[in-house]
Amino acid sequence: VIFITGIISLPAGNWSDRWRRVNILSAGAIVWGTAGLFAAASSNFIQLFLTRALLGFGQGTIIPTHGSLLSDYYPVSVRGRALGYHRSANPLGQVIGAVIGGIIVGAVGWRWGFAAAAVPGLLLGIYAWRLREPGRGEADLLAAAKQDPMFASFLNDPPDKLGFFESLGSVWRIRSLRMLIFTNAAFGFSLFGVVFWIPAFFERRYDFSTEEAAGALAILAFAGFVGSWYGGPFADRSLGKGFGYLGKVGAWGAGLLTVTWSLAFVIPSAGICIFLLTAGALLASVGTGGLVSIIAAVAPPRIRAQACAAFGLALAVCGAAAAPLAIGGISEAFQAFADMNDGDSLRWAMLLATSVVMTLGTWFAYEAARTCAADAQKTMGEFLSDFQKRAAAQAAVQSPAAGD
């Protein structure tokens, strides 16, 4: 499901840059909800597998459409807050979904668990058809349009929409955007890898019960939710110091995560481990909230959905799809060749995933911080230059008509 989600997000990003995003968002949510209902009705493994694949297809439309729409609904002064609140929904959903889903499955069975998750998504997908489709770059130019009606025409979609590969090429050529995609890949590998194996780690290393291990995971997810919730407003308050400052704060957040999580797997104490994991997740979620705002600032509105899709693809493929397999494989190798028990081998595998990969992620975030302010200024300059060209072309067309 995760792999399909990541792969679909790239073409979905291009579709969102070319066509009406609200329709794509709504269709994706309806497909997602319908897949959940089909999963509840599955009678064998093949049917269940196919419904989960369909769910991944619908889920792949989320990152590009949501990121692009929110960036056009909200101006840069409050955009970090909107994106941060949106980002915090994922860890909150993990906690609430695990609790409510467990209750439903325990009471009436797994089929009703799938149905309970699918129905809200299906209903919200239908309701989403009513959302307003904003102009691309609308929030950035809305105030200007009130002063000069000429800007209002610029809020229409550009006639020369970019193709899939041309759009990806434009994303790749923006250095800070490229560095942030690499940063997200490193974050995804460490975060998803660690989160996936946390319950097994505490069970094997510290003899936690299944319920206690799940509680440790819930604490970690809640810390991520709180950090993401406050990271957006923090980014908005810090915006006056510039995008470069937000990038540096993000790099510091990545560095703190690297240090705290590495220590968590070095110090042989369950309590200290949980504390360091929680503190690292909280601080990193607050610190990296501004990185999402930078994505929206350095990506031109006409390819913003594609940029969000590439950003999300790095997280999904390098993180959720690859990291659990890689960490599991490293743990098995330690058991086979270093004669470690399953608890120690998993501890060292998670330590490597955190220390090595997140060190790279911190460096990528620092490199993005060095150029993001200039890239954001260049993007806005090209954005306005494009407006001037279109306005001049429109004036040239209207002048002969006025003369007649």
Side-chain angles (χ1 to χ4, degrees):
V1 173
I2 295 169
F3 182 76
I4 293 175
T5 297
I7 296 301
I8 290 298
S9 66
L10 278 182
N14 186 250
W15 300 336
S16 300
D17 285 328
R18 295 166 63 87
W19 301 320
R20 197 169 186 269
R21 292 162 291 181
V22 167
N23 291 350
I24 297 172
L25 179 157
S26 181
I30 291 172
V31 169
W32 187 92
T34 303
L37 293 178
F38 284 158
S42 298
S43 58
N44 55 57
F45 174 78
I46 298 298
Q47 291 179 358
L48 184 61
F49 175 82
L50 293 175
T51 60
R52 302 302 287 174
L54 183 63
L55 183 146
F57 185 91
Q59 190 170 324
T61 65
I62 291 176
I63 294 176
T65 56
H66 289 203
S68 178
L69 283 169
L70 287 172
S71 297
D72 286 336
Y73 281 137
Y74 297 96
V76 66
S77 59
V78 295
R79 186 176 294 155
R81 189 168 317 190
L83 293 171
Y85 292 160
H86 178 268
R87 192 164 60 101
S88 69
N90 190 46
L92 179 64
Q94 290 176 352
V95 176
I96 295 177
V99 173
I100 296 179
I103 293 173
I104 294 175
V105 171
V108 293
W110 64 269
R111 294 183 185 276
W112 286 102
F114 275 120
V119 170
L122 186 60
L123 293 178
L124 288 172
I126 295 172
Y127 178 79
W129 286 105
R130 303 180 58 186
L131 290 175
R132 182 180 64 86
E133 176 74 17
R136 301 183 195 278
E138 174 179 314
D140 298 321
L141 285 173
L142 190 57
K146 293 179 179 178
Q147 301 296 325
D148 184 352
M150 287 288 290
F151 279 92
S153 64
F154 188 62
L155 297 178
N156 297 325
D157 283 349
D160 52 338
K161 298 178 181 180
L162 300 182
F164 177 69
F165 292 106
E166 189 179 4
S167 177
L168 279 180
S170 298
V171 169
W172 182 258
R173 284 190 292 272
I174 301 173
R175 187 178 187 276
S176 57
L177 188 53
R178 188 169 67 246
M179 291 296 105
L180 286 176
I181 290 172
F182 292 152
T183 300
N184 212 31
F187 261 102
F189 190 91
S190 296
L191 292 174
F192 279 100
V194 168
V195 167
F196 181 88
W197 286 105
I198 277 292
F201 168 71
F202 280 106
E203 289 176 6
R204 298 177 187 180
R205 185 72 175 82
Y206 297 111
D207 295 322
F208 275 32
S209 66
T210 301
E211 291 76 14
E212 290 171 334
L217 178 60
I219 292 173
L220 186 59
F222 184 73
F225 160 71
V226 173
S228 298
W229 185 267
Y230 286 102
F234 173 79
D236 289 338
R237 289 194 299 269
S238 304
L239 189 61
K241 299 179 181 180
F243 287 109
Y245 176 79
L246 290 182
K248 290 177 182 177
V249 171
W252 274 102
L256 288 171
L257 182 72
T258 305
V259 172
T260 54
W261 280 26
S262 296
L263 289 174
F265 297 119
V266 170
I267 300 174
S269 168
I272 294 176
C273 180
I274 293 175
F275 171 77
L276 288 172
L277 290 173
T278 302
L282 178 64
L283 293 173
S285 297
V286 172
T288 57
L291 298 184
V292 184
S293 297
I294 294 174
I295 290 286
V298 301
R302 66 190 304 181
I303 61 165
R304 191 172 280 160
Q306 187 72 85
C308 292
F311 190 68
L313 175 67
L315 184 72
V317 175
C318 295
L325 294 176
I327 292 177
I330 294 171
S331 177
E332 292 289 339
F334 279 139
Q335 292 182 52
F337 300 107
D339 196 25
M340 293 184 182
N341 60 47
D342 57 358
D344 279 335
S345 66
L346 186 55
R347 177 171 70 94
W348 281 102
M350 296 168 80
L351 174 61
L352 285 176
T354 298
S355 59
V356 176
V357 177
M358 276 311 304
T359 297
L360 286 173
T362 302
W363 181 78
F364 286 134
Y366 171 75
E367 287 296 308
R370 293 178 56 198
T371 59
C372 63
D375 285 341
Q377 186 175 9
K378 180 181 178 183
T379 294
M380 182 54 68
E382 292 177 348
F383 189 48
L384 294 176
S385 175
D386 189 16
F387 158 72
Q388 292 173 346
K389 292 178 182 178
R390 289 169 57 185
Q394 182 179 0
V397 171
Q398 292 176 347
S399 294
D404 293 341

